[in-house]
Amino acid sequence: MILRRIMHAAGFEVVEAADGQQGLDALSGGPLPDVALVDWNMPGIDGLSFVNAVRDNPDYRPMTLMMVTTESEHDQVVRALAAGAHEYIIKPFTADAIVDKLELLGLVPE
């Protein structure tokens, strides 16, 4: 809910998924989003597996992936970035931190 409000305020249209499988299903059913905010600890297909699945599909490669999670171990950050996540934000976060990362990635709508 917090991320939805932050993303709306930043000018994004938001589509939510309860878990990694729903996220993958949403990708196959419509236009590719500019960015996906992914939690490592999703039920079913976890965030790292979601990142790997997205990166394995050439049609999804243009999409930006940002991990937003409580997982703060250095090894996990490295694994997520190596798998293809563009950014990694550790919870708790502020709205400004999310927007700053989106701006860094060139994704904040005008």
Side-chain angles (χ1 to χ4, degrees), residues 27-43:
L27 292 177
S28 66
L32 192 65
D34 294 326
V35 61
L37 306 181
V38 182
D39 192 338
W40 191 297
N41 297 309
M42 294 187 292

Side-chain angles (χ1 to χ4, degrees), residues 7-59:
M7 296 302 286
H8 273 291
F12 287 89
E13 181 180 330
V14 176
V15 175
E16 294 181 71
D19 58 43
Q21 186 59 58
Q22 283 185 11
L24 291 172
D25 292 344
L27 292 177
S28 66
L32 192 65
D34 294 326
V35 61
L37 306 181
V38 182
D39 192 338
W40 191 297
N41 297 309
M42 294 187 292
I45 295 176
D46 66 25
L48 185 61
S49 298
F50 177 87
V51 169
N52 283 317
V54 167
R55 291 298 169 236
D56 286 345
N57 186 327
D59 294 335

Side-chain angles (χ1 to χ4, degrees), residues 67-83:
M67 295 290 280
V68 182
T69 183
T70 59
E71 300 300 325
S72 61
E73 294 294 320
H74 178 72
D75 179 58
Q76 290 168 310
V77 175
V78 170
R79 287 174 56 204
L81 295 175

Side-chain angles (χ1 to χ4, degrees), residues 1-10 14 16 37 68 91-96 98:
M1 187 181 277
I2 293 169
L3 283 172
R4 180 179 349 126
R5 279 184 273 166
I6 292 169
M7 296 302 286
H8 273 291
V14 176
E16 294 181 71
L37 306 181
V68 182
K91 294 177 187 179
F93 54 83
T94 64
D96 288 340
I98 297 290

